[in-house]
Amino acid sequence: MTDQQMVRPAAISGFPEWLPEVRIVEQHWLDVVRAGFERYGFCSVETPSVESLDVLMAKGETSQEVYALRRLQEDAGDSSDSRLGLHFDLTVPFARYVAQHFNDLVFPFKRYQIQRVWRGERAQEGRFREFTQCDIDVINVDHVPLHFDAELPRVIHDVMTGLDLPEWTLNINNRKVLQGFYQGLGVDDPLEVIRTVDKMDKLGAKGVGELLSTKVGLTGRQVDACLELASVRATHASVVDAVQATGVRSELLAEGLDELAFVMDALRDLPEGSVVADLSIARGLDYYTGTVYEGKFKDWPNYGSICSGGRYENLAGSFIRRNLPGIGMSIGLTRIFAKLLAEGLVTTGPSCPSDVLVVLPGDEHRVVAAEVAGTLRGRGLNVELYHQADKVAKQIRYASRKGIPFVWFPPFSEGRAHEVKDLATGEQRAADPEAWQRT
């Protein structure tokens, strides 16, 4: 570069990127997640990376995190892009999608969506400005059967077990339990208490108690009761007994406890301790109305949630005059992957997907080498033909550096046979490109 200033290459904070040997592991994870969702009958949906700002701000709660779009050299008077923004989650675009395609969908509609999302917040450990979410949702007209509240955590448990993660726990609560309990205490604004209790991970019981007293205006007795409820943990439906022992009663509380007990009973067959009724889980978003979920690593309790979600009554109500309740969960794939990578728990593989490198000692052999490569590819192998005529030793080093396990030597002279070299063992033997199997 002579007329331009050299630009120093640097990663942008909060926008992760991986080397090929790491990316290939992430792609495997995505395949595991996709296959797991499809095993339960969820179909794939993809929405545009951008939505109108009216859609993105329909719920209003995260509007400050939206990245708005603007062309750097837009034409004078052209404001066509001024009302567009990058989606900050996949739930709001999904609600718009369902409303738009309502007459073409079969309900209950079970969808999964694996895409990048963007949030304009301060980057820190576990929080990114660009990341991949893996969502599943069930949405239906007027009513979503309660058994889906148990099916979704089972799907997530199966998928995340397939990723062979360090020990983690899926914590489950019900917003009706919280709201009904606070109503039974005589609290004027139960939703404000829910938002405050949702800070338990960050502030601890003492900090939350102080906020409930000073900011929300609860009495000492009410604060103590709220903290007592938040301390309840159970691995099965005995959570009902623990809440009833507090002496607080309300119709909504009883309804929420029945739903929570149903979900916990339906998941009893999962490994002991992997699913816990945790009454400190609040999920502060206002649109959650029933069951809520939050997954955490056991060894890193202060790390952000690795999966989350809940039941909502009518998320699509901003877009269509039909009652469309639903329930959804999301796996924070980038958050999980980045943490395990930082802890040295991701075993990276080769830096390319090739099974075989076909050598090319001279340009006069290119046709023969290309035919062999084509034959092997036709049998389902990933094959790379070396890019130029070169010394064979150099080509073998190239394969070794990229993690390509086998090097193929076509018969470049009369009377010679095909040979393949296993770089792991150093063994080289005759092989037939029409029959050879990778071992």
Side-chain angles (χ1 to χ4, degrees), residues 78-185:
D78 182 2
S79 60
S80 59
D81 292 337
S82 64
R83 296 297 298 170
L84 298 178
L86 294 170
H87 56 223
F88 59 84
D89 73 358
L90 300 178
T91 306
V92 172
F94 173 57
R96 188 270 309 157
Y97 177 94
V98 171
Q100 183 174 342
H101 301 285
F102 177 79
N103 292 326
D104 301 312
L105 300 176
V106 178
F107 293 94
F109 183 46
K110 301 173 64 174
R111 86 84 168 86
Y112 75 87
Q113 195 167 345
I114 302 175
Q115 286 185 241
R116 298 269 184 160
V117 300
W118 295 267
R119 292 185 184 176
E121 57 183 3
R122 185 172 67 87
Q124 53 187 298
E125 186 188 37
R127 288 191 177 274
F128 302 92
R129 293 189 282 173
E130 179 184 50
F131 53 96
T132 299
Q133 278 193 192
C134 307
D135 282 19
I136 52 172
D137 282 81
V138 179
I139 199 165
N140 197 30
V141 179
D142 295 331
H143 173 67
V144 176
L146 188 62
H147 72 81
F148 283 117
D149 292 48
E151 179 175 289
L152 264 64
R154 184 178 295 280
V155 176
I156 296 297
H157 185 276
D158 284 359
V159 168
M160 292 177 63
T161 298
L163 295 175
D164 196 24
L165 303 180
E167 196 171 7
W168 62 282
T169 301
L170 180 59
N171 304 297
I172 303 179
N173 199 0
N174 192 296
R175 289 288 284 263
K176 294 177 184 177
V177 171
L178 299 178
Q179 192 165 344
F181 187 88
Y182 303 148
Q183 287 177 355
L185 284 176

Side-chain angles (χ1 to χ4, degrees), residues 282-336:
R283 303 302 301 165
L285 294 174
D286 287 348
Y287 58 70
Y288 288 130
T289 57
T291 306
V292 287
Y293 315 95
E294 191 168 278
K296 304 280 287 186
F297 280 126
K298 284 192 174 181
D299 289 342
W300 305 294
N302 295 323
Y303 193 64
S305 60
I306 58 176
C307 63
S308 61
R311 175 177 279 260
Y312 43 87
E313 280 309 308
N314 194 16
L315 198 61
S318 300
F319 310 110
I320 188 173
R321 295 185 183 279
R322 296 296 300 266
N323 183 32
L324 292 170
I327 184 165
M329 292 190 70
S330 176
I331 296 175
L333 188 128
T334 302
R335 174 176 285 180
I336 298 171

Side-chain angles (χ1 to χ4, degrees), residues 14 62 64 96 113 115 160 167 170 177 202 206 213 236 244 252 281-282 310 336 374 376 383 397 425:
T62 50
Q64 293 181 353
R96 188 270 309 157
Q113 195 167 345
Q115 286 185 241
M160 292 177 63
E167 196 171 7
L170 180 59
V177 171
K202 296 179 181 178
K206 182 178 179 181
S213 177
H236 45 74
Q244 290 178 340
L252 186 61
I281 301 300
I336 298 171
L376 293 172
V383 181
R397 282 197 303 273
T425 65

